Amino acid sequence: MLETKKPFAAGLALALLTATGCYDFDAAFDDCVQAGQCQPTTCDPLAVDVPDDLFHDANCDGIDGTPGDAIFVDPAVGQDANDGTKDAPLKRLSVAMREAANKGKAIYLAQGIYDEADLRLERAVSIYGGYSGKEDGWKRGKDNITQIGGSHTTGFTVNGLMDAGVAIAWVRIRSADSSVSGTPSIGLRVVDSSDVRLSHVEVEAGKGAQGRDGDSRAPNTQVGADGGVGQDGSATTPSGGPQGPSSCGTGSHAGGMGGVGGISFGAAPGMGTAGEPGPPDGGGDGGTPGTNKLDSACGTTLCVCDGEPGGDGQEGAPGDRGRNGNPGNGTGLLEGSTWVARSGTDGEAGAFGKGGGGGGGGGFCEAPGSTQSRGGGGGGGGAGGCPGVGAKGGESGGASIAMLLIRGHVNMESCTLKTSGGGQGGAGGRGGDGSPGGPGGAGGKGIVAEKSSGSDVYRATGGKGGKGGKGGDGGPGGHGGNGAGGPSVGIWCDSLESSSVTLTSTPRFEVKDPGAPGAGPGPAAAPGLQTNHHQCTGFP
């Protein structure tokens, strides 16, 4: 069988991968020999044999690599109580990483799936996949599929290995679809590590989780307080109706007091007064007072004198709608050592409705013979309605990131990066309506006074007090901002300055669609970011 030396393997892989990104090794070797780029040779028992991309047994020991330099792992027949030799392999990768680090060895992985929670490489151990396993003599080839991860939302992490020279070759790394709203699925994460060499590594991230919808708010049912009823005309000064009091928290939204009804006292008549306005900046105007009359030219037999009614108070202005929340961001951000969503923010509460103006006091009338009427007091203005509550913002969808670098530096040769798509953003909630303002109070009645003198009759009627104005309705709460769609990114670097990628050959990317934004009533959000690489140096 024709074999090749190690130095020619790297050159062959580089030439072919630059052109194709992946290749058939058997055909590649033949082409290389025919082109004169690879020189045929036999194996050398004294050669240093490190697993290579052509699966070449350089030192004639029967496998690609050196058994004495490795911990062997076989998920089919291995046992974690074994010593990790090729005849007694371990079963779990986590156990193998600990043993290999303690003994200063590499790890040779048999085909199969190594799916364990929170798999982390935190000591300088190289990992080589593609072996057939114990039952088939640890042959190595591209059809021996070796998979790390699969059922967890982070497939594999390399952490804290600066200048480690760690190699990871001929493995597939998988992360599962995320099911916790707004959270990501990340295939391979490289944190605070440099000189990490990836060769023939395929990384596939699962789908980011859908963002949760923001809660909508029910209408506020606490109606503004009613204005008080004005007093009927009386011997004393008929007072106006009391204002509808503030009844839903702090804020100036009480109604205005009703005006005082008119009454005369001989030569010093008491005039009716205007109703008080509601609070400044939007409160209803107070009603005008009724006109007082002094009728001294009344004819004989029947003399009728009517005081003018007070004017009605004006309605208070409605409260403004609360500000809507801001939409989510389709990029998200990095916090600690992972990606987090930037979701839609909550809507703000609406404003109080303004109080209605008080009704004006009714005027009096005085007929001859000191026949005196008394005007009714104006009704109090109703209090403004209570504000609606702002709705919750929608959560942005989770990201699908094949490889995340946080202060990480990797060298890549013949690698493939796949994503399954970002999660859909949640819809922002609908803000609650404000409550109605309180009705204004009714005005008091005017008093009728009648006096006879012989055949003459003198009748004076006081004016009715004006009705208080209705309080303005409370403003509705703002809608929550919609959540953005989740990103779908092949390689994500935390920044151009702190992370980088060195390419021996251009990776192959299969980046599926990002998540769509939520579709609530608030401000529209964007779909998620979709790109092969984000904030990474080293790409053409």
Side-chain angles (χ1 to χ4, degrees):
M1 174 179 168
L2 197 61
E3 294 176 297
T4 185
K5 293 183 177 179
K6 296 289 179 181
F8 297 102
L12 171 60
L14 173 60
L16 292 170
L17 286 172
T18 301
T20 65
C22 58
Y23 56 93
D24 184 310
F25 282 99
D26 297 330
F29 179 75
D30 292 339
D31 292 342
C32 183
V33 171
Q34 293 175 10
Q37 296 174 340
C38 298
Q39 298 300 318
T41 184
T42 57
C43 61
D44 180 357
L46 300 179
V48 176
D49 192 7
V50 177
D52 62 77
D53 290 340
L54 291 180
F55 313 135
H56 173 54
D57 177 15
N59 62 356
C60 314
D61 61 1
I63 70 168
D64 178 20
T66 302
D69 294 340
I71 296 293
F72 289 80
V73 194
D74 189 335
V77 299
Q79 297 293 328
D80 287 338
N82 289 345
D83 57 11
T85 62
K86 68 177 184 178
D87 294 324
L90 299 175
K91 182 178 186 66
R92 290 186 295 160
L93 177 56
S94 58
V95 176
M97 288 191 291
R98 182 178 64 246
E99 291 298 308
N102 291 338
K103 296 176 181 179
K105 295 185 177 184
I107 295 174
Y108 294 177
L109 294 179
Q111 62 184 332
I113 298 176
Y114 301 85
D115 187 12
E116 304 173 50
D118 199 26
L119 281 171
R120 292 172 175 261
L121 182 64
E122 297 184 310
R123 296 175 67 180
V125 173
S126 291
I127 299 174
Y128 300 97
Y131 290 92
S132 60
K134 176 185 176 182
E135 300 301 311
D136 195 34
W138 296 97
K139 297 175 184 177
R140 195 166 185 232
K142 62 182 184 298
D143 295 328
N144 299 324
I145 306 302
T146 306
Q147 178 178 316
I148 297 174
S151 65
H152 304 280
T153 54
T154 299
F156 191 63
T157 298
V158 178
N159 181 58
L161 299 180
M162 300 302 293
D163 301 320
V166 167
I168 301 175
W170 284 98
V171 296
R172 293 180 178 178
I173 300 173
R174 296 285 187 272
S175 60
D177 292 348
S178 179
S179 59
V180 178
S181 66
T183 59
S185 178
I186 302 171
L188 171 62
R189 185 172 52 171
V190 180
V191 182
D192 291 322
S193 301
S194 62
D195 197 17
V196 177
R197 305 163 189 175
L198 307 178
S199 176
H200 298 275
V201 174
E202 180 182 284
V203 185
E204 183 173 2
K207 187 173 180 61
Q210 179 173 333
R212 183 175 52 246
D213 291 343
D215 293 335
S216 294
R217 299 301 188 184
N220 195 323
T221 58
Q222 188 173 3
V223 179
D226 296 356
V229 176
Q231 283 188 346
D232 294 340
S234 64
T236 58
T237 303
S239 64
Q243 62 186 168
S246 301
S247 55
C248 42
T250 59
S252 179
H253 59 283
M257 286 283 294
V260 174
I263 183 171
S264 66
F265 297 96
M271 309 290 286
T273 62
E276 295 180 359
D281 302 325
D285 292 333
T288 57
T291 303
N292 301 315
K293 292 183 178 181
L294 295 173
D295 198 337
S296 59
C298 192
T300 59
T301 308
L302 179 61
C303 180
V304 177
C305 176
D306 295 323
E308 295 289 339
D312 293 341
Q314 301 300 301
E315 183 173 339
D320 293 333
R321 172 182 287 278
R323 184 180 301 173
N324 292 329
N326 295 320
N329 179 293
T331 301
L333 70 160
L334 303 180
E335 286 186 356
S337 58
T338 191
W339 177 94
V340 295
R342 291 183 62 182
S343 299
T345 60
D346 298 345
E348 296 180 359
F352 294 99
K354 295 297 184 178
F364 70 82
C365 181
E366 183 173 336
S370 299
T371 307
Q372 298 174 348
S373 65
R374 302 173 183 88
C386 301
V389 180
K392 300 294 289 184
E395 189 175 37
S396 293
S400 178
I401 303 172
M403 184 163 65
L404 175 61
L405 304 182
I406 300 177
R407 298 174 298 280
H409 304 270
V410 299
N411 183 296
M412 301 178 68
E413 177 180 346
S414 189
C415 293
T416 299
L417 290 309
K418 300 180 179 180
T419 66
S420 300
Q424 180 173 332
R430 178 175 295 278
D433 290 335
S435 67
K445 298 177 182 179
I447 292 297
V448 179
E450 187 172 291
K451 187 174 183 180
S452 299
S453 177
S455 61
D456 297 328
V457 177
Y458 305 99
R459 182 181 302 147
T461 304
K464 177 177 172 55
K467 180 180 179 181
K470 175 184 176 298
D473 294 340
H479 304 312
N482 287 303
S488 184
V489 177
I491 304 176
W492 191 310
C493 297
D494 56 343
S495 74
L496 294 172
E497 294 76 23
S498 59
S499 294
S500 65
V501 176
T502 301
L503 299 179
T504 302
S505 61
T506 302
R508 179 186 175 200
F509 291 96
E510 296 181 16
V511 177
K512 292 188 177 178
D513 292 340
L529 172 69
Q530 180 183 23
T531 183
N532 289 342
H533 47 86
H534 178 59
Q535 299 182 159
C536 299
T537 62
F539 287 90

Coordinates of all heavy atoms in Angstrom, one line a residue, residues 67-73 82-85 90 92-109 120-128 166-167:
P67 N -0.1 5.1 20.3 CA -1.0 4.6 21.4 C -0.5 5.1 22.7 O -1.3 5.4 23.6 CB -1.0 3.1 21.2 CG -0.7 2.9 19.8 CD 0.2 4.0 19.3
G68 N 0.8 5.1 22.9 CA 1.3 5.4 24.3 C 1.2 6.9 24.6 O 1.3 7.2 25.8
D69 N 0.8 7.7 23.6 CA 0.7 9.1 23.9 C -0.8 9.5 24.0 O -1.1 10.7 24.0 CB 1.3 9.9 22.7 CG 2.8 9.8 22.7 OD1 3.4 9.4 23.7 OD2 3.3 10.1 21.6
A70 N -1.7 8.5 24.1 CA -3.1 8.9 24.0 C -4.0 8.1 25.1 O -3.6 7.1 25.5 CB -3.7 8.5 22.6
I71 N -5.1 8.8 25.4 CA -6.2 8.1 26.1 C -7.2 7.8 25.1 O -7.7 8.6 24.3 CB -6.8 9.1 27.2 CG1 -5.7 9.4 28.3 CG2 -8.0 8.5 27.8 CD1 -5.3 8.2 29.1
F72 N -7.6 6.5 25.0 CA -8.6 6.0 24.1 C -10.0 6.0 24.7 O -10.2 5.7 25.9 CB -8.2 4.6 23.6 CG -7.0 4.6 22.7 CD1 -5.7 4.6 23.3 CD2 -7.1 4.4 21.3 CE1 -4.6 4.5 22.5 CE2 -6.0 4.4 20.5 CZ -4.8 4.4 21.1
V73 N -11.0 6.4 23.9 CA -12.4 6.5 24.3 C -13.3 5.9 23.3 O -13.2 6.2 22.1 CB -12.8 8.0 24.5 CG1 -14.1 8.0 25.3 CG2 -11.7 8.8 25.2
N82 N -11.9 1.7 33.2 CA -10.8 1.2 32.5 C -9.6 2.2 32.6 O -9.7 3.3 33.1 CB -11.1 1.0 31.0 CG -12.0 -0.2 30.8 OD1 -12.2 -1.0 31.7 ND2 -12.6 -0.3 29.6
D83 N -8.4 1.8 32.1 CA -7.2 2.6 32.2 C -7.0 3.5 30.9 O -6.1 4.3 30.9 CB -6.0 1.8 32.4 CG -5.8 0.7 31.3 OD1 -6.5 0.8 30.3 OD2 -4.9 -0.2 31.5
G84 N -7.9 3.4 29.9 CA -7.8 4.3 28.8 C -6.9 3.9 27.7 O -6.6 4.7 26.8
T85 N -6.4 2.7 27.7 CA -5.6 2.2 26.6 C -6.5 1.7 25.5 O -7.7 1.7 25.6 CB -4.8 1.0 27.1 OG1 -5.7 -0.1 27.5 CG2 -3.9 1.4 28.3
L90 N -11.9 4.2 27.7 CA -12.9 4.8 28.6 C -14.2 5.0 27.8 O -14.2 4.8 26.6 CB -12.4 6.2 29.1 CG -11.1 6.2 29.9 CD1 -10.7 7.6 30.2 CD2 -11.3 5.4 31.2
R92 N -16.6 7.9 28.6 CA -17.1 9.3 28.5 C -15.9 10.2 28.3 O -14.8 10.0 28.8 CB -17.8 9.7 29.8 CG -19.1 9.0 30.1 CD -19.8 9.6 31.3 NE -19.1 9.3 32.5 CZ -19.2 10.0 33.6 NH1 -20.1 11.0 33.7 NH2 -18.5 9.6 34.7
L93 N -16.3 11.2 27.5 CA -15.3 12.2 27.1 C -14.8 13.1 28.3 O -13.7 13.4 28.5 CB -15.8 13.2 26.0 CG -14.9 14.3 25.6 CD1 -13.6 13.8 25.1 CD2 -15.6 15.1 24.5
S94 N -15.8 13.4 29.2 CA -15.4 14.2 30.4 C -14.4 13.5 31.2 O -13.5 14.1 31.8 CB -16.7 14.5 31.2 OG -17.3 13.3 31.6
V95 N -14.5 12.2 31.4 CA -13.5 11.4 32.2 C -12.2 11.4 31.4 O -11.1 11.5 32.0 CB -14.1 10.0 32.4 CG1 -13.0 9.1 33.1 CG2 -15.4 10.0 33.2
A96 N -12.3 11.2 30.1 CA -11.0 11.2 29.3 C -10.3 12.5 29.4 O -9.0 12.5 29.5 CB -11.4 10.8 27.9
M97 N -11.0 13.6 29.4 CA -10.3 14.9 29.4 C -9.5 15.1 30.8 O -8.4 15.6 30.8 CB -11.3 16.0 29.2 CG -11.8 16.2 27.8 SD -12.7 17.7 27.5 CE -14.2 17.4 28.4
R98 N -10.1 14.6 31.8 CA -9.5 14.7 33.1 C -8.2 13.7 33.2 O -7.1 14.1 33.6 CB -10.4 14.3 34.2 CG -9.8 14.4 35.6 CD -10.9 14.0 36.7 NE -11.3 12.6 36.6 CZ -12.5 12.3 36.3 NH1 -13.5 13.2 36.0 NH2 -12.9 11.0 36.3
E99 N -8.4 12.5 32.7 CA -7.3 11.6 32.7 C -6.1 12.0 31.8 O -5.0 11.9 32.1 CB -7.8 10.2 32.3 CG -8.7 9.5 33.3 CD -7.9 9.3 34.6 OE1 -6.8 8.7 34.6 OE2 -8.5 9.7 35.7
A100 N -6.5 12.5 30.6 CA -5.5 13.0 29.6 C -4.7 14.2 30.2 O -3.5 14.2 30.0 CB -6.1 13.3 28.3
A101 N -5.4 15.1 30.8 CA -4.7 16.2 31.4 C -3.7 15.8 32.5 O -2.6 16.3 32.6 CB -5.7 17.2 31.9
N102 N -4.2 14.9 33.3 CA -3.3 14.4 34.4 C -2.1 13.7 33.9 O -1.0 13.7 34.6 CB -4.1 13.5 35.4 CG -5.2 14.3 36.2 OD1 -5.1 15.5 36.3 ND2 -6.2 13.6 36.6
K103 N -2.2 13.0 32.8 CA -1.1 12.1 32.3 C -0.4 12.8 31.1 O 0.6 12.2 30.6 CB -1.7 10.8 31.9 CG -2.3 10.0 33.0 CD -2.9 8.7 32.5 CE -3.5 7.9 33.7 NZ -4.1 6.6 33.3
G104 N -0.8 14.0 30.7 CA -0.1 14.7 29.6 C -0.2 14.0 28.3 O 0.7 14.0 27.5
K105 N -1.4 13.5 28.0 CA -1.7 12.8 26.8 C -2.8 13.4 26.0 O -3.5 14.3 26.4 CB -2.1 11.3 27.1 CG -1.0 10.5 27.8 CD -1.4 9.1 28.0 CE -0.2 8.3 28.6 NZ -0.6 6.8 28.7
A106 N -2.9 13.0 24.7 CA -4.0 13.4 23.8 C -5.1 12.4 24.0 O -5.0 11.4 24.7 CB -3.5 13.5 22.4
I107 N -6.3 12.7 23.3 CA -7.4 11.9 23.4 C -7.7 11.4 22.0 O -7.8 12.2 21.0 CB -8.6 12.6 23.9 CG1 -8.4 13.0 25.4 CG2 -9.9 11.8 23.8 CD1 -9.5 13.9 26.0
Y108 N -7.9 10.1 21.8 CA -8.4 9.5 20.5 C -9.8 9.0 20.7 O -10.1 8.2 21.6 CB -7.5 8.3 20.1 CG -6.0 8.7 19.8 CD1 -5.1 7.7 19.5 CD2 -5.6 10.0 19.8 CE1 -3.8 8.0 19.2 CE2 -4.3 10.3 19.5 CZ -3.4 9.3 19.2 OH -2.1 9.6 18.9
L109 N -10.7 9.6 19.9 CA -12.1 9.3 20.1 C -12.6 8.3 19.0 O -12.4 8.6 17.8 CB -13.0 10.5 20.0 CG -12.8 11.6 21.1 CD1 -13.7 12.8 20.8 CD2 -13.1 11.0 22.4
R120 N -16.4 20.8 28.9 CA -15.5 21.9 28.9 C -14.0 21.4 28.8 O -13.6 20.6 29.6 CB -15.6 22.8 30.1 CG -16.9 23.6 30.2 CD -17.0 24.3 31.6 NE -18.2 25.1 31.6 CZ -18.2 26.4 31.4 NH1 -17.0 27.0 31.2 NH2 -19.3 27.1 31.5
L121 N -13.3 21.9 27.9 CA -11.9 21.6 27.8 C -11.1 22.8 28.5 O -11.1 23.9 27.9 CB -11.4 21.5 26.3 CG -10.0 21.1 26.1 CD1 -9.7 19.7 26.7 CD2 -9.6 21.1 24.6
E122 N -10.6 22.5 29.7 CA -10.0 23.6 30.4 C -8.5 23.3 30.8 O -7.9 24.0 31.6 CB -10.8 23.9 31.7 CG -12.2 24.4 31.4 CD -13.0 24.7 32.6 OE1 -13.1 23.9 33.5 OE2 -13.6 25.8 32.6
R123 N -8.0 22.2 30.2 CA -6.6 21.9 30.3 C -6.1 21.5 28.9 O -6.8 21.1 28.1 CB -6.3 20.9 31.4 CG -6.7 21.3 32.8 CD -6.6 20.2 33.8 NE -5.2 19.8 34.0 CZ -4.8 18.9 34.9 NH1 -5.7 18.2 35.6 NH2 -3.5 18.6 35.0
A124 N -4.8 21.7 28.7 CA -4.2 21.6 27.3 C -4.2 20.2 26.9 O -3.2 19.5 27.1 CB -2.9 22.2 27.3
V125 N -5.3 19.7 26.3 CA -5.4 18.4 25.8 C -6.0 18.4 24.3 O -7.0 19.0 24.1 CB -6.4 17.5 26.7 CG1 -6.6 16.2 26.0 CG2 -5.8 17.4 28.1
S126 N -5.3 17.8 23.4 CA -5.7 17.7 22.0 C -6.7 16.6 21.9 O -6.6 15.5 22.5 CB -4.6 17.6 21.1 OG -3.8 18.8 21.0
I127 N -7.7 16.7 21.0 CA -8.7 15.7 20.8 C -8.8 15.4 19.3 O -8.9 16.2 18.4 CB -10.1 16.3 21.2 CG1 -10.1 16.6 22.7 CG2 -11.2 15.2 20.9 CD1 -11.3 17.2 23.2
Y128 N -8.6 14.1 19.0 CA -8.7 13.6 17.6 C -9.8 12.6 17.4 O -9.8 11.6 18.2 CB -7.3 12.9 17.3 CG -6.1 13.9 17.4 CD1 -5.4 13.9 18.5 CD2 -5.8 14.7 16.3 CE1 -4.2 14.7 18.6 CE2 -4.7 15.6 16.4 CZ -3.9 15.6 17.6 OH -2.9 16.4 17.7
V166 N -3.6 23.7 21.4 CA -4.6 22.5 21.4 C -5.1 22.3 20.0 O -5.5 23.2 19.3 CB -5.7 22.8 22.4 CG1 -6.9 21.8 22.2 CG2 -5.2 22.8 23.8
A167 N -5.2 21.0 19.6 CA -5.7 20.6 18.4 C -7.1 19.9 18.6 O -7.2 19.0 19.5 CB -4.8 19.7 17.6

